[in-house]
Amino acid sequence: MTCLSCGTPLPHRTGPGRKQQYCDSTCRSAARRQRESVNSDLTSPAPAGTLGAVKAAHRQLLESQELLRDAVERARAEGRTWQEIGEVLGTSRQAAFQRFGRPVDPDTGQPAVGLAGAADRALVLLGDCVAGRFDRMREDFDRTMRRELTPEHLATVWARVVGSVGRFERFGEPVQHAAGDITVVDVLLEFEAGQVTATVSFDREGKVAGLFFRPA
């Protein structure tokens, strides 16, 4: 397993719970700054008055979600089951795992992470999508993706997404895992009227091999 920020190999760890994702707090903070940088490039300053209060409350909600994720990680590290966590959250163990878990390589028992830096690359790709830079998005597409997804097609897909959930607001934390030779990154996108999960897939050479949007 390697650090999701810098790609440095991480020490082997055993036991239940989500495994280490970053070298240290520096890399974790760097990853968070990357997300904040992409978000700040795409969103305007918070408005004044009641709308500003809504924006501030929404920001607090997202921060609380990150605190919740950290709490779940600690609970898993202490040996708590997904069943117990699901009961506390008022959901099923499967739903809890799908939200907070991470697929594990059955051969090594380690989290299947895949291509180093894929999470940050997915954020940049989606940032280009939100900004309407569809030509730039296609620069890292594999041959099939470039043939099937023209800039016009990408613009149409994004217009449908925005048409269903409103104006884009910000990205959530990317979740990266490996599926064989493919590295998959799921990113939660926050809109004014809903949430959408974007899934970006990379092949072993680092080319974008898949891009999907689905309701969160």
Side-chain angles (χ1 to χ4, degrees):
M1 183 176 180
T2 58
C3 174
L4 296 185
S5 177
C6 69
T8 300
L10 297 174
H12 175 74
R13 293 177 58 185
T14 59
R18 179 177 294 184
K19 305 303 179 181
Q20 183 176 352
Q21 300 181 51
Y22 303 100
C23 295
D24 49 31
S25 59
T26 299
C27 279
R28 187 181 184 90
S29 296
R32 182 178 291 110
R33 286 195 300 272
Q34 170 69 18
R35 296 193 302 275
E36 292 173 348
S37 176
V38 174
N39 285 326
S40 64
D41 288 342
L42 299 169
T43 56
S44 57
T50 55
L51 290 180
V54 171
K55 186 77 171 181
H58 182 242
R59 184 179 297 111
Q60 290 177 353
L61 173 61
L62 296 178
E63 292 173 350
S64 297
Q65 290 176 344
E66 187 165 348
L67 291 175
L68 175 58
R69 180 176 294 278
D70 290 340
V72 171
E73 289 181 3
R74 292 195 300 272
R76 289 290 293 162
E78 292 175 358
R80 297 295 185 177
T81 66
W82 287 114
Q83 180 68 38
E84 291 176 308
I85 294 172
E87 289 175 354
V88 170
L89 296 176
T91 187
S92 68
R93 63 180 180 180
Q94 180 180 6
F97 173 77
Q98 289 175 341
R99 181 177 179 185
F100 299 104
R102 181 178 296 277
V104 174
D105 188 324
D107 295 326
T108 65
Q110 295 297 304
V113 177
L115 184 71
D120 287 342
R121 291 185 56 193
L123 282 175
V124 172
L125 176 77
L126 294 171
D128 287 336
C129 183
V130 171
R133 297 187 288 261
F134 303 114
D135 281 319
R136 184 182 301 181
M137 284 181 66
R138 300 175 70 251
E139 292 178 359
D140 287 334
F141 281 8
D142 66 13
R143 183 177 302 176
T144 301
M145 290 280 288
R146 287 185 64 85
R147 182 178 65 248
E148 299 295 332
L149 293 180
T150 65
E152 293 75 19
H153 190 173
L154 290 168
T156 298
V157 170
W158 183 246
R160 290 174 180 170
V161 172
V162 174
S164 64
V165 287
R167 181 176 58 84
F168 171 80
E169 292 188 342
R170 62 175 291 160
F171 294 117
E173 181 177 2
V175 178
Q176 172 181 335
H177 65 274
D181 291 335
I182 300 296
T183 299
V184 180
V185 182
D186 291 322
V187 183
L188 182 68
L189 279 62
E190 300 276 352
F191 293 83
E192 61 178 323
Q195 298 177 326
V196 171
T197 297
T199 298
V200 184
S201 301
F202 297 89
D203 63 20
R204 64 172 63 187
E205 283 78 33
K207 293 293 185 180
V208 177
L211 173 63
F212 302 93
F213 297 97
R214 66 181 188 277

